[in-house]
Amino acid sequence: MTREATTPQATKTGSADGTAARIADLAHRQEQAAVAVPPRRRGALGARERIERLLDQGSFTETGLFVRARPTGDGARRPDGDGVVTGYGTVDGRPVCVFAQDSTVFGGSMGEAFGEKTVALMDLALKTGCPVIGLNDSGGARIQEGVASLALYAELVRRNVKASGVIPQISVVLGPCAGGAAYSPAITDFTVMVDGVSHMFVTGPDVIEAVTGERTTAEELGGARASNSVNGNAHFLAADDEDALDIVRDLLSYLPSNNLARPPEYAPAPAPGGAGLDQVVPDRTGQAYDMRDILRAVVDDGELLEVQELFAPNIVCALARLEGASVGVVANQPLHAAGVLDIDASEKAARFVRFCDAFGIPLVTFADVPGYLSGVHQERAGIIRRGAKLLYAYAEATVPKVTVVVRKAYGGGYAVMGSKHLGADLNLAWPTARIAVMGAEGAVGVLHRRELAAADDPEALRARLVAAYESVHGTPYPAAERGYVDAVIAPRETRAQLCRALRALRGKRAPMPERRHGNIPL
């Protein structure tokens, strides 16, 4: 005997209608929560538009859509999302987490719910081992929520520190980034700013004038150009929102997803041509040339992604590829201050070296350095302490390290620029290399001061002594005799030699002593 259904057909239909109504309500709520308000700045993209432009089409999954601002009083607005869009997706098929601050909601200011959403996204990125990208456009802490907003800034910075060296962190400043909001980008690995639009500072122009009487503008104080060229707070300068997002996509193509993964590899691409390298270095010691001509003739497709290109231009830091694999390039730039190492160049290069080491990116160094910059200003500003950061970074790095001495390598500059003594694995030198304590002119002036003073023709004697000094010390061969240089090579062989060296070093292991961490001279 068959048991009859106990639920009437009408009830089934009613249940289906109820479910359909709930689904329709969900769709309506989603639509309402995601309603875009036009950006305040002409030409700017909205928060969701920015995410869609950054990520692969259709890959974005939003989190926290229905999170609402905390109540702050009767009748206060409590918009869905609380002024920040968070979620995950892919860039070139690789997973990333992303948040975008929405300046149309409370000026993009961080409230408690806003902060909790961002912190939760950071936790997700850490658990899944994928890069996190922050699209910043905020007026700072939400005043009406008081200490809660300040607490969430501290929570966010704690996540930034926890993620440092574990997953790549990229900040894109697409508007204001003031007060406590500026410290999170400062801790992340790379910061991109938009020319004429982005501003990043701790204290704004109005407050500075009120407190100190100094008059300035937001652009002078912390605009994109000032942050890229004067204070070094930013790493890339973009023309507009879309250019900034393109820079992020390009940058990610060189980086691993986390510190346990290898950087992505691509089909090897030839360099534009190394034959011309034999003529790049001028015969005259003091004559300048563009180090980037050498770099582009060596790396795949001649492509360099320069980091902090406008800051401390006397040193070049760039991401590139050799045989399809990512490398970090550090090179003195003779076009600017003869490639000398000063405070800014040392700190710029030290941070870049440490980033590459944290994420397993091999380091290739091109040296043409007269030494550290002397002078009262540099000494009083702390060149001993701050210049030591670069020494520390190279000595600490355990990734494959290959150095090419192109021309000058004098004094402390020789030691710091990837020398064998700081742990470089393979050191090459061109025949044009001059490895010595100092240049011939300076050395002769010190060593033969009395002879020159007593000579009938001091200039003729100086010329002979300089030639004699250069014949012995102005070559790479004394260093090669001691094993400080592994090979002296023709310039045109540089790419082939670097590729062979990096292949040989691919399985490098460099165990370090057990410790909490070192104490870099900050």
Side-chain angles (χ1 to χ4, degrees):
M1 182 173 167
T2 305
R3 189 187 299 272
E4 292 184 2
T6 56
T7 305
Q9 184 65 35
T11 305
K12 287 183 179 181
T13 304
S15 174
D17 290 345
T19 301
R22 289 176 180 271
I23 292 173
D25 178 60
L26 169 63
H28 176 71
R29 288 173 180 268
Q30 289 174 325
E31 184 180 352
Q32 290 298 111
V35 168
V37 177
R40 297 174 182 177
R41 295 185 302 275
R42 183 178 299 173
L45 301 174
R48 286 187 171 80
E49 287 179 303
R50 288 166 173 166
I51 290 176
E52 289 169 5
R53 178 67 181 76
L54 171 67
L55 301 182
D56 297 337
Q57 187 174 1
S59 71
F60 181 57
T61 299
E62 187 167 349
T63 60
L65 176 63
F66 297 125
V67 170
R68 298 181 68 195
R70 300 289 185 262
T72 55
D74 294 339
R77 285 198 310 134
R78 296 183 61 207
D80 290 324
D82 197 27
V84 64
V85 181
T86 59
Y88 53 91
T90 61
V91 173
D92 292 332
R94 301 169 62 211
V96 299
C97 285
V98 60
F99 67 84
Q101 298 168 348
D102 188 347
S103 63
T104 67
V105 178
F106 299 128
S109 61
M110 179 184 281
E112 186 176 4
F114 178 125
E116 288 175 349
K117 281 180 65 175
T118 309
V119 165
L121 184 80
M122 288 289 301
D123 290 339
L124 178 64
L126 270 166
K127 284 188 285 189
T128 56
C130 71
V132 63
I133 303 150
L135 308 181
N136 296 268
D137 190 354
S138 169
R142 191 172 300 167
I143 298 171
Q144 58 268 42
E145 292 198 27
V147 71
S149 61
L150 301 179
L152 266 301
Y153 271 127
E155 290 283 354
L156 177 57
V157 165
R158 186 155 65 95
R159 293 331 191 272
N160 290 138
V161 173
K162 188 176 178 181
S164 183
V166 180
I167 55 174
Q169 301 178 78
I170 302 172
S171 297
V172 189
V173 180
L174 298 164
C177 186
Y183 284 109
S184 177
I187 295 172
T188 60
D189 299 305
F190 298 101
T191 300
V192 184
M193 296 182 72
V194 178
D195 196 12
V197 172
S198 307
H199 301 104
M200 187 164 58
F201 38 68
V202 173
T203 308
D206 294 340
V207 176
I208 287 177
E209 184 176 357
V211 173
T212 70
E214 295 176 281
R215 290 188 176 183
T216 186
T217 65
E219 190 65 28
E220 292 173 339
L221 190 63
R225 285 199 172 270
S227 297
N228 271 272
S229 61
V230 179
N231 57 42
N233 288 335
H235 300 81
F236 299 98
L237 179 67
D240 52 30
D241 282 20
E242 296 209 6
D243 185 36
L245 301 175
D246 284 339
I247 289 171
V248 174
R249 291 179 66 92
D250 195 15
L251 177 58
L252 286 170
S253 73
Y254 291 93
L255 308 183
S257 294
N258 55 66
N259 63 333
L260 300 179
R262 283 189 178 276
E265 296 189 14
Y266 301 85
L277 288 179
D278 290 351
Q279 288 80 43
V280 169
V281 175
D283 292 332
R284 290 175 53 200
T285 304
Q287 192 171 343
Y289 63 93
D290 193 341
M291 178 61 80
R292 290 171 297 187
D293 291 339
I294 294 175
L295 303 182
R296 292 187 181 114
V298 169
V299 302
D300 289 10
D301 274 335
E303 290 184 356
L304 295 170
L305 181 60
E306 282 197 57
V307 177
Q308 292 185 297
E309 181 179 359
L310 302 179
F311 180 69
N314 41 320
I315 200 160
V316 174
C317 297
L319 291 163
R321 295 187 182 89
L322 281 169
E323 293 193 311
S326 296
V327 294
V329 178
V330 180
N332 306 109
Q333 175 56 289
L335 274 186
H336 297 278
V340 72
L341 288 170
D342 58 9
I343 288 170
D344 287 345
S346 298
E347 292 186 335
K348 169 183 171 177
R351 186 147 193 243
F352 181 73
V353 166
R354 298 192 89 208
F355 172 82
C356 290
D357 186 52
F359 289 100
I361 299 173
L363 286 162
V364 179
T365 303
F366 287 79
D368 185 350
V369 57
Y372 277 99
L373 181 62
S374 59
V376 174
H377 171 74
Q378 288 284 305
E379 295 289 352
R380 295 190 65 171
I383 193 167
I384 294 174
R385 169 178 57 85
R386 297 164 74 180
K389 296 177 187 181
L390 186 52
L391 284 156
Y392 192 105
Y394 266 114
E396 180 187 47
T398 60
V399 292
K401 293 180 283 189
V402 184
T403 298
V404 181
V405 181
V406 174
R407 190 169 61 172
K408 305 179 301 296
Y410 294 154
Y414 158 71
V416 69
M417 288 299 295
S419 69
K420 183 78 75 171
H421 324 291
L422 286 184
D425 299 297
L426 289 166
N427 289 63
L428 311 171
W430 287 7
T432 49
R434 295 176 170 87
I435 302 173
V437 175
M438 62 176 67
E441 289 284 350
V444 165
V446 172
L447 295 173
H448 303 282
R449 182 174 62 253
R450 291 181 181 176
E451 294 171 60
L452 290 167
D456 294 331
D457 188 349
E459 290 308 314
L461 176 59
R462 179 184 295 275
R464 289 197 301 272
L465 292 172
V466 166
Y469 183 91
E470 285 192 337
S471 68
V472 176
H473 301 287
T475 74
Y477 300 107
E481 287 176 11
R482 289 170 170 77
Y484 303 160
V485 167
D486 294 292
V488 180
I489 63 170
R492 62 179 175 274
E493 298 172 359
T494 303
R495 175 181 166 87
Q497 291 282 355
L498 288 175
C499 291
R500 289 176 190 171
L502 292 173
R503 271 185 249 131
L505 292 166
R506 192 172 177 85
K508 177 185 175 183
R509 295 290 182 269
M512 296 292 285
E514 186 174 340
R515 60 182 176 181
R516 290 179 184 270
H517 55 75
N519 189 20
I520 187 170
L522 298 174

